[in-house]
Amino acid sequence: MMTYIVFILSVIFVISFVGFSSKPSPIYGGLVLIVSGGVGCGIIMNFGGSFLGLMVFLIYLGGMLVVFGYTTAMATEQYPEVWVSNTTVMGVFLLGLLMEVMLVLYVLKSEEVGVVFKFSGVGDWAIYDTGDSEVFSEEIMGVAALYSYGAWVVIVTGWSLLVGVLVILEVTRGD
Amino acid sequence: MNPLIFTTILMTVLLGTMIVMMSSHWLMIWIGFEMNLLAIIPILMKKYNPRTMEASTKYFLTQATASMLLMMAIIINLMHSGQWTITKVFNPTASIIMTSALAMKLGLTPFHFWVPEVTQGISLTSGLILLTWQKLAPMSILYQISPSINLNILLTMAVLSILVGGWGGLNQTQLRKIMAYSSIAHMGWMTAVLAYNPTLTMLNMLIYIMMTLTMFMLFIHSSSTTTLSLSHTWNKTPLTTTLILITLLSMGGLPPLSGFMPKWMIIQELTKNNSIILPTLMAIMALLNLYFYMRLTYSTSLTMFPSTNNMKMKWQFETKRITFLPPLIVMSSLLLPLTPMLSILD
């Protein structure tokens, strides 16, 4: 099972995305978002990116999602919608689940899947450790490169975040 | 809106488009599009009523979908070419998806449905920014990937846009919707020649922006958003009626005025490439556009439009100072003799 752990994690990833895309109440959306964040962290860590996975848990789940959960709890209604309460929500969830199951069966059965890109069944999802970069970890070097060669990206994303705050305040301010 | 915040947000719109036009990395282009979209939402919502909020929501939804499609095309391109540089997109799937995404951003048929509704719901100045500045970024990306765009899809979208832009505008009396359908038709002309000579796309974009800028500023000057309201300008500023006449005929593409130059060059370029039926069809469908421009000029400048006697006087608000209106009017009507200067573009 450990060979195919990335495949299993990515299937759980897609299922939890389907879970919040079928639009239950935001509280339950946040619940599956926690699951998807954790599973995504697992996928990244299997590729050797332990630092980035920790970032996902700490900043995304522990920072942003907690704030989101608190604000949603303040604005929630008396009977929030679950996946089984509304026919539409359940229908969309089951449809997404069905499509994912069919895709998984297709991948498992056939040798090669060529939808947009060709990948050969489950084999392509397994992690092969080539053992090259043992001296330094690639992903931490990537984060370091973001602040040296990628200074323009940092400036642009920082400015976008600032303008995002200004825009949201402006939009919700009203008259 | 607080002037400092408004300036910051407007500068971010400019910055977003500049990032799109100047980047060599696909991810930065996507970031530029998103920055542009995020910052223009409060500008669309300047007046706070349900119509503007609905229009901003529609704009946000369609443009966000287009950005998602663009991201998917970028990733497919990355998977097949292994690099992030802007070149022509070699993989056909990625090229088709990217063309559809940029067509959604521009408002080409079959993705044109948001243009009239969004333009109608917002104020005239915001509509001006929407129909001129927002077209620059997607068009610059189309220019850069033009050698690899699937010609069938591009020409189909272009011809259908000209058709829809002409036919859709026929039943409109609201000026903003008329300008929206005119924008759809002009985008169709621009993308038709994109595969043959992209320089002419840029020429058409330049002249279209000048003419649309002029039209919107004339509308802002007379504070009119309907045909009926525009038909009362003879009473308030009679000079504006003549200027509206000239600019509208220029937008329709009539010869001694500058609007004829892009259409002439595009038809010439298409016939040089041995397609005769296509430019004929395009020229015939441009007549639909000309019809509703003519109807506007008829009601505004050529006749004293019928109205009840107490409606003939418009409210005399303080005259708005419109920057650059005289040079814009001159440029949008008298540029045709400069056509031989286009030879410097080679």
Side-chain angles (χ1 to χ4, degrees):
Chain A
M1 190 200 79
M2 274 314 278
T3 332
Y4 303 122
I5 187 69
V6 176
F7 181 65
I8 297 173
L9 286 178
S10 63
V11 168
I12 304 177
F13 196 59
V14 173
I15 292 178
S16 44
F17 265 59
V18 168
F20 69 73
S21 305
S22 51
K23 282 192 281 291
S25 160
I27 286 282
Y28 295 104
L31 185 65
V32 288
L33 214 54
I34 295 177
V35 173
S36 73
V39 164
C41 164
I43 296 178
I44 302 178
M45 286 208 288
N46 271 304
F47 282 100
S50 46
F51 177 65
L52 290 175
L54 199 62
M55 279 299 115
V56 166
F57 256 111
L58 274 178
I59 311 296
Y60 185 69
L61 295 185
M64 299 200 284
L65 209 60
V66 163
V67 174
F68 172 72
Y70 272 118
T71 52
T72 319
M74 283 201 297
T76 192
E77 52 208 5
Q78 200 181 10
Y79 296 106
E81 255 188 51
V82 204
W83 291 279
V84 295
S85 66
N86 189 358
T87 328
T88 317
V89 175
M90 185 160 72
V92 173
F93 181 60
L94 286 180
L95 182 68
L97 213 58
L98 183 71
M99 287 178 63
E100 175 65 14
V101 164
M102 288 201 323
L103 184 66
V104 165
L105 287 178
Y106 184 36
V107 166
L108 286 178
K109 284 233 176 348
S110 66
E111 274 308 307
E112 202 179 57
V113 180
V115 177
V116 174
F117 49 91
K118 287 200 190 317
F119 63 94
S120 57
V122 191
D124 259 358
W125 290 93
I127 311 292
Y128 301 112
D129 196 5
T130 53
D132 258 350
S133 51
E134 293 279 348
V135 180
F136 48 85
S137 163
E138 278 185 347
E139 39 105 36
I140 301 196
M141 287 301 122
V143 174
L146 177 67
Y147 290 97
S148 60
Y149 299 110
W152 175 237
V153 179
V154 174
I155 295 173
V156 165
T157 43
W159 181 253
S160 307
L161 288 174
L162 173 67
V163 170
V165 169
L166 292 179
V167 161
I168 288 173
L169 286 178
E170 200 49 56
V171 163
T172 52
R173 189 166 58 106
D175 219 343
Chain B
M1 213 194 278
N2 184 359
L4 181 62
I5 309 273
F6 183 65
T7 316
T8 312
I9 290 180
L10 203 59
M11 288 300 123
T12 310
V13 175
L14 265 60
L15 180 65
T17 309
M18 285 293 125
I19 288 179
V20 170
M21 299 206 288
M22 292 192 311
S23 294
S24 54
H25 194 273
W26 275 118
L27 196 64
M28 289 306 288
I29 288 187
W30 184 83
I31 292 179
F33 272 123
E34 293 298 295
M35 194 193 282
N36 194 6
L37 171 63
L38 187 70
I40 205 174
I41 294 299
I43 295 182
L44 295 185
M45 284 176 58
K46 243 192 325 184
K47 289 200 183 116
Y48 209 72
N49 53 47
R51 264 184 304 284
T52 53
M53 292 199 284
E54 179 186 339
S56 315
T57 314
K58 280 182 194 162
Y59 185 68
F60 184 78
L61 286 176
T62 52
Q63 300 283 304
T65 313
S67 289
M68 283 196 291
L69 282 175
L70 183 67
M71 184 50 118
M72 183 157 113
I74 292 173
I75 295 193
I76 296 176
N77 182 32
L78 171 69
M79 224 157 29
H80 284 270
S81 66
Q83 46 88 33
W84 290 92
T85 323
I86 309 285
T87 51
K88 64 180 204 171
V89 175
F90 288 96
N91 185 23
T93 315
S95 172
I96 292 178
I97 297 178
M98 198 176 285
T99 313
S100 316
L102 293 170
M104 278 178 81
K105 284 198 174 285
L106 278 177
L108 288 174
T109 312
F111 309 114
H112 66 278
F113 292 100
W114 61 271
V115 189
E117 296 170 16
V118 172
T119 319
Q120 179 62 26
I122 55 185
S123 64
L124 274 172
T125 324
S126 307
L128 172 65
I129 299 180
L130 185 77
L131 288 183
T132 53
W133 185 258
Q134 295 294 90
K135 309 287 181 203
L136 282 178
M139 198 49 92
S140 75
I141 302 300
L142 274 177
Y143 182 93
Q144 289 176 10
I145 65 170
S146 62
S148 61
I149 304 183
N150 186 352
L151 202 62
N152 297 322
I153 291 188
L154 193 70
L155 287 180
T156 313
M157 285 200 292
V159 165
L160 284 178
S161 301
I162 302 174
L163 201 55
V164 162
W167 251 335
L170 282 183
N171 199 22
Q172 309 297 336
T173 54
Q174 295 282 334
L175 293 178
R176 286 170 289 184
K177 277 202 172 139
I178 287 181
M179 295 309 292
Y181 281 107
S182 136
S183 148
I184 298 174
H186 276 107
M187 290 298 133
W189 275 91
M190 283 182 228
T191 47
V193 80
L194 189 65
Y196 298 103
N197 190 356
T199 317
L200 291 180
T201 306
M202 288 300 133
L203 171 75
N204 198 349
M205 174 67 88
L206 190 65
I207 306 235
Y208 161 74
I209 288 182
M210 279 197 294
M211 294 191 297
T212 310
L213 220 57
T214 315
M215 275 321 297
F216 265 102
M217 285 187 176
L218 287 169
F219 293 156
I220 292 173
H221 180 73
S222 52
S223 318
S224 48
T225 54
T226 62
T227 312
L228 187 60
S229 172
L230 192 66
S231 65
H232 292 145
T233 49
W234 64 267
N235 207 344
K236 192 169 158 200
T237 45
L239 184 57
T240 329
T241 57
T242 324
L243 300 173
I244 288 178
L245 168 73
I246 297 179
T247 318
L248 275 173
L249 291 180
S250 180
M251 284 195 88
L254 290 186
L257 306 169
S258 0
F260 181 58
M261 175 164 36
K263 289 196 166 57
W264 171 25
M265 293 285 113
I266 288 176
I267 292 180
Q268 182 172 13
E269 199 62 38
L270 284 172
T271 52
K272 269 194 232 168
N273 279 290
N274 283 331
S275 71
I276 312 288
I277 303 182
L278 181 68
T280 314
L281 272 178
M282 281 163 57
I284 291 177
M285 293 188 293
L287 285 177
L288 291 168
N289 260 330
L290 184 62
Y291 176 72
F292 58 78
Y293 296 142
M294 286 295 306
R295 192 167 52 194
L296 266 185
T297 61
Y298 179 76
S299 65
T300 312
S301 338
L302 301 178
T303 56
M304 283 166 55
F305 206 63
S307 56
T308 53
N309 268 337
N310 60 351
M311 271 183 68
K312 288 205 198 299
M313 302 291 288
K314 266 176 100 100
W315 269 115
Q316 296 278 0
F317 289 116
E318 187 179 294
T319 314
K320 301 189 171 79
R321 186 182 312 154
I322 312 282
T323 352
F324 283 136
L325 190 54
L328 271 177
I329 294 174
V330 168
M331 281 204 292
S332 61
S333 29
L334 296 176
L335 277 185
L336 193 63
L338 290 179
T339 314
M341 265 183 65
L342 290 179
S343 56
I344 63 170
L345 291 170
D346 260 335

